[in-house]
Amino acid sequence: MELTVWQTFVTVCRLGSLSAAAAELNHTQSAVSRQIAGLERQLGVALMERHARGVRPTPAGEVFRRHALATLNEADRAVRAARDVRDGAFDRPLAVGATPSLAAGIVPEAIRSLLERVGSLRWSLLPGLSEQLHNRVIAGDLDIAVVTDAPPGLPHDPRIDRRFLGIDHMVVVLPVDHPQAGRGPVHMQTLAHQIWAEDNDGSAALLRQHAARAGFSARIDLTAADLLGKLALVATGHAIALIPGVLTCALRTDVTTVGLVDPPTRGVYTITPRRDPHPSAASLLDQLATAFASVRPAQAAHPPTETGAHAAAPALHDGITETPHDKLCRPEESI
C-alpha cells in the first residue's frame, strides 16, 4: 500500500469531505474517490460512509485511521532523520512511550524539565498500552517507556531495565452533577448500582476485582475506544468510570473525581533497553521520578510491603527490581 493513499484517507477523515481533501491535496475529487475505493478493495472492508454533510470513517475506518496516522508520523520522522544524516546534522532523537494516562501529564512535564536542563533535544512521545510499549522497547523503537503493572501485569525480561516510580491509586470519575460528586472517599458498595464505562481490559479487570471484593458485579455496560471516549461517556452522564489517579490533574472540566476507600492500585515503572541506551535516558528517568513524586507525594518514594508498610525493594539477579507489588500483579497471580 502506498503511503500517499494513506495520507489521502487521513486527510478525508480530518476534513470530513472528499472535495475539501481534494483541494488541500491538489487532487481532483474523482482521484480522491478512486484512492479511497482502491484502499477499501485492498483491505476488504468499507472505510468511509456518507452522511448529510459529507463523509466519515466507519468503525473499521476509524481504527485504520489511528494506525495510519501513527505510521505516517513515523514515516515523516524517518525521512527527516535520513536527511539530517545527509546534511551532517544528525542528533539521535529520544523516543519515549507512555500509557495514555501518564502521557496526559506526568511524562510531558518530565520532558519539559529535561529540556530545561539539557537544552535542545529532538524527542517524540508515543502513547500505548503497557504490553505494546514493552514490545516496542524490546524492538528498539523506544528508548524509554513509562508503563504500569495493571492486569495482565509486566513480564520480566533480561533485555530491559525496570525502575519503580511509585503506586498510583485509582479513582472514580463522575459527571459534575452526580450525587456522589464532592463527597470525599466512598466505599465501593456505594456505587454498586451504577453503570460503568471501560476502554481497555486491564482497567476493566481492576474494576471487576475491586467490585468483587465489595460483594457485587460491576455493570460494565459501555465500552469506549480509548480514554478520551471513556471520559466523554462520563461527562454526558451515560456512566461512571475507574481511572488512574495521575490523570486527575489533566481532566476535562465537565467531570470530577471521587476517591475510594481502599482503592485499586497499580505500580508505575520505567523500562529501558539494556543495550544501546539513549544518552539522555538516565536524565529523563530522574525527571520522571520527580514528576511522579510531585503528583503522588505520599506514594512515590517506596513500593508497599505486603503488610502495608514502606520498604526498599530488593534487586533481582537480572538487574530488574521486583517489589511485593510485582508479586501481586504478575499475570498468573493477578487478583
Side-chain angles (χ1 to χ4, degrees):
M1 298 181 187
E2 295 183 7
L3 290 184
T4 52
V5 178
W6 290 29
Q7 181 65 62
T8 297
F9 174 73
V10 168
T11 303
V12 172
C13 291
R14 174 168 56 83
L15 298 176
S17 165
L18 295 175
S19 58
E24 180 172 304
L25 297 170
N26 198 26
H27 296 330
T28 64
Q29 182 172 334
S30 61
V32 170
S33 296
R34 286 196 300 271
Q35 290 183 57
I36 299 299
L39 185 58
E40 290 178 323
R41 284 194 300 272
Q42 285 182 293
L43 296 177
V45 63
L47 298 175
M48 305 295 301
E49 60 185 9
R50 294 189 177 275
H51 61 92
R53 296 184 179 180
V55 294
R56 61 190 169 205
T58 63
E62 176 58 23
V63 170
F64 182 77
R65 183 198 65 81
R66 293 199 299 269
H67 287 283
L69 184 58
T71 299
L72 290 167
N73 288 338
E74 287 295 321
D76 181 61
R77 282 192 286 268
V79 170
R80 285 189 279 113
R83 289 174 177 168
D84 285 345
V85 173
R86 178 198 63 188
D87 299 336
F90 178 69
D91 181 22
R92 176 179 168 186
L94 177 65
V96 183
T99 61
S101 59
L102 293 161
I106 286 178
V107 174
E109 173 62 24
I111 293 175
R112 183 191 64 79
S113 298
L114 174 67
L115 295 176
E116 290 176 352
R117 294 171 62 92
V118 304
S120 178
L121 173 68
R122 290 196 299 134
W123 59 278
S124 61
L125 176 58
L126 175 70
L129 299 182
S130 293
E131 182 180 7
Q132 298 167 340
L133 297 173
H134 178 273
N135 292 337
R136 298 199 72 163
V137 170
I138 295 299
D141 297 334
L142 295 175
D143 296 300
I144 182 171
V146 191
V147 297
T148 79
D149 60 8
L154 288 174
H156 288 175
D157 194 308
R159 295 169 292 181
I160 65 171
D161 285 321
R162 192 165 84 193
R163 176 175 173 178
F164 177 78
L165 291 182
I167 297 295
D168 184 26
H169 289 184
M170 307 293 284
V171 298
V172 177
V173 62
L174 312 164
V176 291
D177 58 353
H178 191 279
Q180 296 298 332
R183 292 201 172 187
V186 299
H187 289 276
M188 192 67 173
Q189 296 94 324
T190 307
L191 306 171
H193 300 295
Q194 297 287 316
I195 294 174
W196 298 79
E198 272 304 344
D199 64 324
N200 70 78
D201 292 340
S203 180
L206 281 178
L207 172 58
R208 290 191 180 98
Q209 292 164 6
H210 200 65
R213 292 195 194 102
F216 69 94
S217 178
R219 289 184 55 192
I220 307 177
D221 289 357
L222 297 175
T223 302
D226 52 27
L227 188 55
L228 288 177
K230 182 161 75 170
L231 293 175
L233 290 173
V234 174
T236 50
H238 296 292
I240 65 174
L242 191 69
I243 64 167
V246 295
L247 188 61
T248 302
C249 61
L251 289 177
R252 50 194 289 172
T253 58
D254 50 2
V255 298
T256 188
T257 61
V258 63
L260 291 170
V261 176
D262 186 25
T265 63
R266 59 180 193 162
V268 179
Y269 298 82
T270 60
I271 55 174
T272 52
R274 303 193 113 192
R275 298 184 61 183
D276 192 27
H278 191 282
S280 297
S283 297
L284 181 56
L285 287 174
D286 293 338
Q287 298 304 322
L288 286 165
T290 300
F292 189 88
S294 69
V295 176
R296 313 297 298 174
Q299 304 164 20
H302 299 290
T305 66
E306 291 171 308
T307 59
H310 287 83
L316 298 181
H317 68 279
D318 61 1
I320 299 174
T321 299
E322 183 180 43
T323 74
H325 197 268
D326 294 330
K327 297 175 183 177
L328 293 174
C329 294
R330 290 176 188 157
E332 68 274 18
E333 298 176 7
S334 296
I335 56 175

